[in-house]
Amino acid sequence: MDGGRRIGEPLTRGHPQNGRVAVPRRTESLSRNPHNLPLIGGFLRVCDDAQASHGNFFGRAQTVFGVAVLGGFTALGISLGGHGGAVGDGLRQAAENAVAATGATAQIIQISGIDVLDEATVADIAGVRPGGSMLLLDARQARQRLEALPFVAQAEVQKYFPGGLRIDITERKPFAVWQKDGALSIIDRSGVVLRPANPERLPDLPVIVGAGAPDSAASLFRAMAPFPALASRLHAAVLVAGRRWNLIFDSGLVAKMPEGLLIAALEDLDKLVTEQDLIDRDISQIDFRVADRVTLRRNPPADETAPEEAPS
């Protein structure tokens, strides 16, 4: 426009035929600089600003978030295109490196409550190791894996950012040796099988015998707790037909308990043991199955089998 407010050249530079031509296109590829892409550039600028202004965990965490989102879209494209293999491995490595850059790695691992298990086993099953990722650890799944172990009754897994992990284990305690069909197993008080038992090196635990014995053993031993003279000499307890117990003592004496009134029978047996030293006498069997009647059987010679009444 000149001084006279006149337009010095046309608004459109055109072709003689139609009065206009196309505006020249930009030929520079946007892919050369990711900041030029609206979505990616926005992510990267936010991450750069966070790291520059804060330089702490939260700034680095934003970077990881951006990388994770972009990596997710990339992985989806690779999966749909059928291009896995080395590319997928590279993405996983990049994700691990990005997580490590945040400082959110396991630096302090505290494990408590273990006796049978060892720390290395617990950490391995939980899925964590010193220097491993804390962001990628699923505490709920780690707890479930630990509680699937026979010796673990309960597990708690807690993460403390940026680099702390605490695992509290409640182990099942060996309670008895269970014999069934000739096989020996160590069980806990609730009847859970912990591991096979070595018959040549049995632990100092009571032996229970029979199908269903683990489910009833805890109540039997609770009933025997007030009678230490009996409990200390007990060698094995045999569940008969799932209803009653035969108690076998270390001298070989067999005490046949009734189906009901177990406490009353134990009181009578304890009295005979403490007052008459019944366990160490030449007696093979004492029978409480008939109410108000106790029957003794001696260790007889080959030709003697008649029972006798217990002294009143």
Side-chain angles (χ1 to χ4, degrees), residues 129-151:
R129 64 186 186 280
S133 167
M134 287 286 289
L135 292 177
L136 302 180
L137 175 67
D138 188 319
R140 181 180 61 85
Q141 291 183 0
R143 174 181 59 80
Q144 291 175 346
R145 288 194 298 270
L146 289 169
E147 290 183 346
L149 296 174
F151 264 101

Side-chain angles (χ1 to χ4, degrees), residues 212-221 239 242 245:
D215 298 330
S216 305
S219 60
L220 169 66
F221 292 118
L239 185 65
W245 293 95

Side-chain angles (χ1 to χ4, degrees), residues 167-188:
I167 301 176
D168 295 316
I169 300 292
T170 301
E171 288 186 339
R172 300 182 186 274
K173 303 300 182 184
F175 175 67
V177 176
W178 177 34
Q179 177 180 324
K180 180 186 178 185
D181 300 330
L184 298 173
S185 304
I186 296 176
I187 64 170
D188 76 341

Side-chain angles (χ1 to χ4, degrees), residues 222-236:
R222 279 196 301 269
M224 293 189 66
F227 310 106
L230 300 180
S232 63
R233 302 289 300 271
L234 182 68
H235 172 67

Side-chain angles (χ1 to χ4, degrees), residues 27-36:
T27 59
E28 180 183 359
S29 173
L30 292 177
S31 63
R32 294 180 183 178
N33 185 358
H35 286 79
N36 291 331

